[in-house]
Amino acid sequence: MKRKGILALLLSTALFGSLLSGCASPSKEAEGDKPEDAPAAKAGVPDYMNPVGEYPIVKEKIKIRVMGKKDPGGPEWGDLEIFKRLAEKTNIELEFELSEGDTFNEQKNIALVGGEYADIILRGADKTDEETYGPQGVFLDLTDLIDQYAPNLKALMAKDPSIKASITSMDGKIYGLPYIFNTSTTQGHLGFFDSQWMKNAGIGKEPATTDELYEMLKAFKEKDANGNGDPGDEIPFSAVGLNAFQQLLMPAFTGLTGGIGFDVNEAGEVVYVPAMKEYKDFLVYTNKLYKEGLIDPEFTTQTSQQWQAKVKGNLVGIYNASPTLLDAETTKTEQLSLAPLTSPVNDKKVVRLPFNLYTSKAIITDKCKHPEAAMRLLDMFYATEENAVDGFSGNTVFLGYEGEHWKYTDDSKSQYEWIAPVTGFGDINKSVSVNMELPGYLNFMAMPANNPLMEMKVTQVQEKQVPYYKDAYPVNARFTAEESEKGNVIENDLYTYVTLMTTKFIIGEEPLDKFDSYIATLDKMGLQDLIKIKTDALNRWNEALKK
């Protein structure tokens, strides 16, 4: 992610913290138990702890203070089932100080600057914090702690080198733990349309090229595709802003998935996608769609609510949303995912690989007197379903406890259903867990049962998107403070200018013969300097993957 200089960090409202500090002393004896297959304890385990694999984690009860960023209107974490059960199992009681949004950010800023911060910071630090407070010793280097006390996370890192590369700071140390997630319901893009529209418009084959997409959109416009008797009310392609075009159309011309941003070409070189010559081909094509009324003329001005009303009213052909947006009671026809397209200037089918790793979700600070125990506790969140301890794993954080809050519908484990009185994730977040963005490992590929629209979406994504997944420029590449300070300004200015000009080119407010002038302006704004910064960071990333 991007990072600013130290001054920008201190002023940022993205900061959060805690006025809590210190770990309480042990207070009460508790008996341990050891699973039959527990890993062997490593030498040098502190006297206050049981060996790795044995529970409770600590022999006598301790308290660890935690600052966490909760969701707006969310419950107190100390009241949640997972933290109550973890306290009983581990002998570690977490004392939470929670706040929301800007209040949370301000507290983190004050706490870190003033030296009055908690033992653990959960769910909201960033790489800038790590690069600033790690080298100062405020955030502990977790490298050895992971090696000795986090067998679950260590195994994941050994399996996927990008995890270690993502969480390793510029000085080669690890200061924060990640949130890693894989579910069946994620997707590379949200571009769907109703199969009945194709039939009504006389289209017998799903589009595979930009030319075929054009013909389908024309048919949607001219042939009463929604079947309501009015051949003039169809909107062939509707969206809010440019995001749908980045996901669905740009890759067809560039062969890359970076959208309005950076990517890496086949030669391993960093490129700025909006500066590629193929970007002009994308603009020419999209402008043609717009001029012929095949794109919603209100895509630049409509709200999400206005757009959703059009989609739900069956007025839109290709819509940039999950089919689950539709009414399950009235939607009986198959919703199709737009497959990746090729074009006259690109023969590669690509879909953006979904992002699945957030850094800095758990920090252990130098205030913590029991960092070994803290690491063992946090490592429980990285347990797989097979390595669950008393039913607790990373999946438990997401869904609650299997057999109590949810269950698989059969032995294939392809679908799951809730167990009454739980009816959905809203209930889980009220009393069981904080089901997103705590540190941990979520790997859950079952889809919800009795949800035909979700099943439709998952099936389409697996068939038409997953085989073509391609990553873009690595989101978790690290930058020096100097690189961030200079690069952030340039990148933000470029994004603002490119977004404006792309919109103008599409709707015809700016003639496409000004494209060369547009490219020259990008260079004047510092594009080449930014490419150099991005290239240096990419080289470091590639080296980190080898370690």
Side-chain angles (χ1 to χ4, degrees):
M1 293 288 188
K2 307 167 189 171
R3 291 180 302 284
K4 303 182 179 73
I6 294 176
L7 177 59
L9 170 73
L10 299 182
L11 296 175
S12 172
T13 56
L15 296 174
F16 75 98
S18 169
L19 299 179
L20 298 171
S21 64
C23 292
S25 300
S27 60
K28 186 177 179 182
E29 182 78 16
E31 299 227 353
D33 56 65
K34 182 177 181 179
E36 290 183 7
D37 298 324
K42 289 189 176 289
V45 174
D47 290 341
Y48 75 91
M49 290 179 64
N50 286 310
V52 174
E54 292 187 13
Y55 292 88
I57 290 174
V58 292
K59 298 172 183 177
E60 297 181 342
K61 289 186 177 181
I62 62 171
K63 294 181 179 181
I64 293 180
R65 295 184 173 184
V66 177
M67 183 58 180
K69 185 174 184 178
K70 72 172 185 174
D71 296 321
E76 292 298 316
W77 292 0
D79 296 333
L80 295 175
E81 189 69 23
I82 64 166
F83 292 118
K84 291 179 180 179
R85 295 194 190 185
L86 285 174
E88 293 177 2
K89 183 67 178 176
T90 66
N91 263 357
I92 302 171
E93 179 183 350
L94 300 180
E95 294 188 328
F96 296 106
E97 182 175 302
L98 307 175
S99 52
E100 305 170 6
D102 289 343
T103 299
F104 184 88
N105 298 335
E106 291 166 4
Q107 287 182 351
K108 186 184 75 168
N109 186 22
I110 294 170
L112 291 174
V113 173
E116 296 293 332
Y117 41 85
D119 307 321
I120 294 177
I121 301 173
L122 285 184
R123 205 172 178 248
D126 57 33
K127 290 196 287 288
T128 304
D129 296 331
E130 292 182 21
E131 300 294 348
T132 301
Y133 294 104
Q136 293 179 19
V138 174
F139 294 174
L140 296 185
D141 178 10
L142 307 179
T143 308
D144 290 340
L145 290 172
I146 293 172
D147 183 57
Q148 297 179 48
Y149 301 104
N152 294 317
L153 178 55
K154 184 178 178 181
L156 293 172
M157 291 167 61
K159 184 178 180 180
D160 182 356
S162 70
I163 297 175
K164 184 176 180 181
S166 295
I167 64 177
T168 300
S169 294
M170 291 292 295
D171 61 4
K173 299 177 180 179
I174 297 173
Y175 299 112
L177 301 182
Y179 170 54
I180 309 161
F181 56 99
N182 298 291
T183 70
S184 65
T185 55
T186 56
Q187 66 286 313
H189 73 68
L190 288 169
F192 287 83
F193 58 98
D194 194 327
S195 61
Q196 189 62 47
W197 277 52
M198 284 185 63
K199 295 175 183 177
N200 293 343
I203 303 295
K205 174 179 175 290
E206 295 177 41
T209 69
T210 52
D211 289 341
E212 291 173 358
L213 175 63
Y214 168 75
E215 294 299 330
M216 186 177 79
L217 294 176
K218 275 193 67 176
F220 281 178
K221 179 177 175 60
E222 298 169 355
K223 298 184 178 180
D224 190 25
N226 62 9
N228 67 352
D230 182 355
D233 66 348
E234 285 83 2
I235 305 170
F237 188 163
S238 185
V240 178
L242 296 175
N243 190 48
F245 306 135
Q246 293 188 68
Q247 294 179 350
L248 305 176
L249 301 183
M250 285 185 200
F253 293 92
T254 64
L256 300 174
T257 60
I260 298 180
F262 288 86
D263 211 321
V264 182
N265 64 19
E266 289 184 342
E269 302 164 334
V270 174
V271 294
Y272 189 55
V273 177
M276 296 173 65
K277 60 184 179 61
E278 292 85 0
Y279 196 76
K280 183 177 182 180
D281 297 300
F282 152 72
L283 293 172
V284 170
Y285 177 82
T286 312
N287 171 255
K288 176 184 177 180
L289 299 184
Y290 184 85
K291 285 193 300 184
E292 296 189 20
L294 306 182
I295 290 176
D296 192 339
E298 297 180 326
F299 84 88
T300 63
T301 59
Q302 65 189 341
T303 66
S304 294
Q305 291 74 20
Q306 291 168 332
W307 170 79
Q308 285 185 23
K310 296 176 182 178
V311 175
K312 292 179 178 180
N314 198 29
L315 299 178
V316 176
I318 294 177
Y319 54 92
N320 188 220
S322 167
T324 53
L325 172 70
L326 306 177
D327 186 343
E329 294 297 321
T330 59
T331 305
K332 304 302 181 184
T333 52
E334 186 177 17
Q335 304 299 301
L336 304 174
S337 172
L338 183 66
L341 306 171
T342 59
S343 71
V345 296
N346 167 61
D347 61 0
K348 297 187 293 293
K349 295 183 177 184
V350 295
V351 177
R352 179 68 181 263
L353 178 71
F355 181 60
N356 74 335
L357 191 153
Y358 290 100
T359 64
S360 317
K361 291 305 175 183
I363 305 292
I364 301 176
T365 76
D366 63 345
K367 300 291 186 182
C368 189
K369 297 177 182 177
H370 302 105
E372 304 89 356
M375 179 57 72
R376 271 206 62 191
L377 174 63
L378 291 168
D379 188 57
M380 295 178 71
F381 288 72
Y382 295 93
T384 63
E385 190 174 277
E386 295 74 22
N387 295 329
V389 176
D390 287 358
F392 183 82
S393 68
N395 290 354
T396 311
V397 180
F398 182 60
L399 294 149
Y401 288 88
E402 182 182 357
E404 296 180 49
H405 304 112
W406 66 277
K407 64 181 179 180
Y408 290 111
T409 57
D410 57 41
D411 291 340
S412 73
K413 296 188 175 182
S414 61
Q415 294 189 344
Y416 72 95
E417 62 186 6
W418 300 109
I419 298 174
V422 176
T423 60
F425 289 110
D427 294 327
I428 296 298
N429 281 319
K430 286 178 183 177
S431 61
V432 180
S433 178
V434 182
N435 86 318
M436 297 292 287
E437 296 192 35
L438 282 173
Y441 176 59
L442 166 63
N443 187 35
F444 190 73
M445 303 311 294
M447 69 179 77
N450 305 313
N451 190 334
L453 291 178
M454 179 62 78
E455 184 173 356
M456 201 178 292
K457 169 194 163 181
V458 171
T459 301
Q460 287 287 309
V461 168
Q462 291 292 322
E463 176 185 340
K464 297 174 183 174
Q465 295 188 27
V466 172
Y468 306 102
Y469 276 167
K470 181 182 183 300
D471 208 353
Y473 187 91
V475 174
N476 286 317
R478 299 267 176 163
F479 299 86
T480 67
E482 182 180 355
E483 288 171 341
S484 293
E485 189 169 5
K486 180 179 181 180
N488 286 344
V489 174
I490 298 173
E491 189 159 11
N492 290 336
D493 289 346
L494 285 174
Y495 182 82
T496 300
Y497 176 70
V498 169
T499 300
L500 175 64
M501 292 302 294
T502 297
T503 303
K504 286 186 173 183
F505 283 134
I506 290 173
I507 67 177
E509 284 189 7
E510 193 75 21
L512 285 161
D513 59 13
K514 294 288 186 69
F515 186 78
D516 289 344
S517 174
Y518 152 82
I519 293 295
T521 300
L522 296 180
D523 286 335
K524 290 177 183 177
M525 296 174 71
L527 174 59
Q528 299 308 316
D529 290 340
L530 186 54
I531 288 177
K532 173 64 166 57
I533 291 172
K534 294 283 187 177
T535 299
D536 289 344
L538 178 66
N539 291 337
R540 292 192 296 265
W541 170 265
N542 289 334
E543 286 300 313
L545 290 176
K546 300 175 185 177
K547 296 179 179 179

